[in-house]
Amino acid sequence: MQNPFKGSLSIDFYSNQSTIKWVILVVAVIIGGGSIVYTNRLVSELKEGERNNINLWAKAIEFSSSPDVDESALTFISANIITPDNTLPVILVDSASQQVLLSMNVLEDDMTIAEREQELESILEKMQRENEPFPIPVRNTEDGSISEIQYVYYRNSYLLRQLGAYPYIQLSVIGIFAFIAYLAFSYSRNAEQNRVWVGMAKETAHQLGTPLSSLMAWLEYIKTMPEMQGRGDITAELEKDVQRLEMITARFSNIGSLPVLKPENVLQTMNECVDYLKPRVSSKVVFSVEAKSGNLMAKLNKPLFIWVVENIVKNGVDAMSGIGKIDIRLSKNANNEVLVDIADNGKGIKGKAKDVFKPGFTTKKRGWGLGLALAQRIIENYHQGRIFVKSSQADVGTVFRIVLPS
Ligand SMILES: Nc1ncnc2c1ncn2[C@@H]1O[C@H](COP(=O)(O)OP(=O)(O)OP(=O)(O)O)[C@@H](O)[C@H]1O
Ligand SMILES: [Mg+2]
C-alpha cells in the first residue's frame, strides 16, 4: 500500500517544522536584540544627562570659590545648584591629599564614624570605576593662579543602573519561562504519543486474538479430516501462517503492555532472527553473525527484539536493492553493555542520520516511516538501551548499533 500521507506529511512535515523553528528563533533574537539596543540607547542618553548635571555642579563649585563672585550670585548658586535635593551620589576629593572634602547622597544619617569612612571608601572605588571625574581648579585668592585641583566623582542614579540591567533580567526571565513551557509541552506530547502507541497496539492485539484462536481450532480440525490425510504440505503451510499471525499478535500485545524481559543469550537470539529473516528476503542477500566475545547475555523481550532486528535488516535490504550482505557483529564495551552492530552494504542514509528515527520520516514510495521509530521505542523505552546510526556512507553502507544493558 502506498503511504497516503506521502509528500503531504512525511518529508514536507519535517522541513516545514524546522523552518518554523528557525523563524521563531530569528524573531526571538530580533526582539531580544532590539530591546537590548533600545534600552542601551535610553541608558546612554540618560547617562549623558546625568553627566551634564554633575558637570554643572562641578562648575558651580568652581565658580563659587572664585574671588570675584558677588554675594547674591553665590547665594543663588548655592541654593539652586550646589545643595538642591539632587539624588546623584557625589564625592569631592582633594587631588593632593586624596581626602574626601564633601559628599552628597552617599551616607545615611544614622551611620557611625567608622561606618561612614568605610562606606565613603567603597563608594569612591565604585565611582572611580564607573565614570570619569570632573576636575575643579582651585585658585589663589591673591593672584588667581591655580593652587590645587579637586575632583568630583559621581555615580549614576539607581534608576539608570536598574534600567541598564533590566533587559537582561527580563530576557532571562522570559528565557527560563519559555524553557519550562517547552519542557512541559514536550512532556505532555510524549505522554500523549505513549497513550496512542500503547492503545493502538493493545487494540490490534485484541482484534487479532479472536480470529486467530478460531483459525487455530479450524487448523486442528482440518488436520483430522479424512480428505486431508496425505496432504501434510497444505496443513504445514497453513500452520506457518498461523504461527506468523501468532507472532504478530505477540508483538502487539507486548508493546501494548509492560513487556517481560528475560535474560537471553544474544548470539543465539540473533541466529534465530537470521533464520527467521533469511527466507523472507531475497536469496541474494548473504547474512553473517559474528560474536567477538563469549557469554553475551542481556535482558530481552524476544518478540519485540526480533521485531527491531527485522526492521533494521529490512531497511538494509531495501537500501541494497536486494543484492548484498548483512553483517551482524556482537561485542561488549567497557561498561559490560552488549553491542549489536548491524551493517549493510547499501546506498547509505540520505540526509541527517538522526531524522531516520522520527515517526513518519521515509524516503520510500511505499514506506510508512515507522520501522525505526518503533525500533527506537522498543530499545529505549522497553529495554532501557540505546539505538543509533553508528556510521553511514553513500554507496558504502550503513551500520546501526544497539546497546543493551547487560
Ligand atoms: N540501512 C539504511 N540505509 C539507507 N537508508 C536507510 C537505512 N535505514 C533507514 N534508512 C532511511 O530511513 C528512513 C526511515 O526508515 P524507517 O524504517 O523508519 O521507515 P521506512 O523503511 O521508510 O518505512 P517502514 O515504516 O515501512 O519501515 C528510510 O525511508 C530510509 O530513507
Ligand atoms: Mg523500514
Side-chain angles (χ1 to χ4, degrees):
M1 201 195 329
Q2 190 146 348
N3 180 351
F5 303 122
K6 177 91 195 182
S8 63
L9 191 123
S10 26
I11 302 283
D12 293 4
F13 176 70
Y14 287 109
S15 55
N16 279 349
Q17 214 187 24
S18 69
T19 320
I20 292 170
K21 268 188 208 155
W22 277 110
V23 169
I24 291 178
L25 194 72
V26 168
V27 171
V29 167
I30 291 174
I31 293 176
S35 104
I36 290 178
V37 167
Y38 179 69
T39 343
N40 279 348
R41 224 184 65 194
L42 279 185
V43 166
S44 64
E45 274 171 23
L46 282 173
K47 218 174 179 173
E48 192 60 35
E50 288 187 352
R51 192 166 172 81
N52 286 342
N53 275 347
I54 298 296
N55 191 14
L56 182 66
W57 191 81
K59 285 265 177 338
I61 296 232
E62 184 187 345
F63 181 67
S64 64
S65 64
S66 82
D68 37 39
V69 59
D70 73 44
E71 192 67 24
S72 60
L74 192 62
T75 318
F76 175 81
I77 287 168
S78 164
N80 291 291
I81 302 175
I82 301 177
T83 51
D85 208 10
N86 199 335
T87 54
L88 297 187
V90 277
I91 295 181
L92 186 66
V93 177
D94 178 85
S95 68
S97 62
Q98 285 295 311
Q99 284 284 312
V100 172
L101 304 172
L102 170 72
S103 80
M104 270 169 58
N105 306 311
V106 173
L107 304 170
E108 312 277 342
D109 287 340
D110 55 359
M111 281 179 166
T112 63
I113 293 179
E115 280 172 343
R116 279 165 184 260
E117 269 180 16
Q118 211 178 8
E119 180 72 3
L120 275 177
E121 202 176 309
S122 91
I123 291 210
L124 188 60
E125 239 170 57
K126 285 182 192 151
M127 289 175 169
Q128 284 165 340
R129 259 183 280 132
E130 271 174 30
N131 293 305
E132 274 290 294
F134 288 103
I136 305 180
V138 180
R139 289 169 198 281
N140 274 334
T141 29
E142 290 110 45
D143 57 0
S145 65
I146 295 173
S147 62
E148 62 162 322
I149 294 193
Q150 296 171 351
Y151 283 99
V152 175
Y153 289 95
Y154 71 101
R155 283 199 91 180
N156 291 110
S157 64
Y158 179 72
L159 188 72
L160 185 64
R161 278 179 277 140
Q162 292 289 306
L163 192 64
Y166 176 70
Y168 299 101
I169 294 171
Q170 188 193 33
L171 290 178
S172 347
V173 169
I174 292 176
I176 291 168
F177 176 75
F179 182 66
I180 292 172
Y182 173 78
L183 285 187
F185 178 72
S186 67
Y187 174 78
S188 86
R189 198 185 49 181
N190 280 347
E192 191 181 302
Q193 276 184 0
N194 276 345
R195 279 200 298 275
V196 174
W197 273 102
V198 169
M200 285 293 286
K202 256 190 192 154
E203 180 61 15
T204 310
H206 180 70
Q207 299 243 3
L208 279 172
T210 324
L212 185 62
S213 29
S214 158
L215 269 180
M216 278 153 84
W218 278 111
L219 184 62
E220 289 312 308
Y221 175 70
I222 288 171
K223 277 189 198 163
T224 61
M225 283 165 67
E227 302 92 306
M228 294 307 284
Q229 300 315 310
R231 297 307 310 267
D233 51 336
I234 295 182
T235 47
E237 284 304 311
L238 272 177
E239 202 148 29
K240 263 195 215 159
D241 282 336
V242 168
Q243 275 167 3
R244 170 123 178 95
L245 275 175
E246 263 182 319
M247 193 192 64
I248 293 171
T249 313
R251 286 176 174 178
F252 280 106
S253 102
N254 271 307
I255 210 167
S257 55
L258 252 189
V260 186
L261 303 183
K262 276 195 230 137
E264 304 274 1
N265 184 319
V266 185
L267 177 61
Q268 202 181 320
T269 310
M270 291 313 284
N271 279 324
E272 280 173 39
C273 281
V274 169
D275 290 341
Y276 166 75
L277 287 167
K278 252 186 197 163
R280 288 178 169 76
V281 300
S282 151
S283 58
K284 288 174 187 143
V285 178
V286 182
F287 284 85
S288 77
V289 182
E290 176 198 351
K292 287 194 184 137
S293 44
N295 191 31
L296 292 160
M297 298 295 287
K299 278 189 165 177
L300 296 179
N301 178 285
K302 247 188 186 174
L304 291 184
F305 188 72
I306 293 176
W307 201 1
V308 170
V309 177
E310 181 179 344
N311 277 321
I312 297 175
V313 168
K314 280 194 170 161
N315 282 343
V317 172
D318 286 344
M320 60 181 73
S321 40
I323 308 173
K325 35 180 200 149
I326 300 283
D327 293 327
I328 298 172
R329 287 182 292 265
L330 309 175
S331 54
K332 251 183 196 177
N333 66 8
N335 297 335
N336 230 12
E337 291 167 315
V338 178
L339 311 178
V340 180
D341 288 349
I342 303 176
D344 64 62
N345 61 346
K347 60 178 185 247
I349 291 173
K350 290 196 195 87
K352 272 189 263 162
K354 247 170 102 181
D355 284 346
V356 297
F357 293 100
K358 289 179 178 165
F361 178 88
T362 181
T363 55
K364 298 173 193 167
K365 233 183 190 163
R366 286 163 195 278
W368 292 92
L370 285 182
L372 289 177
L374 184 79
Q376 187 179 45
R377 225 186 140 69
I378 291 174
I379 295 299
E380 290 181 357
N381 293 15
Y382 293 73
H383 289 85
Q384 274 68 52
R386 280 169 285 140
I387 179 171
F388 51 90
V389 177
K390 189 176 165 238
S391 64
S392 184
Q393 219 179 325
D395 298 322
V396 174
T398 304
V399 184
F400 276 88
R401 172 166 280 186
I402 301 171
V403 183
L404 295 167
S406 60

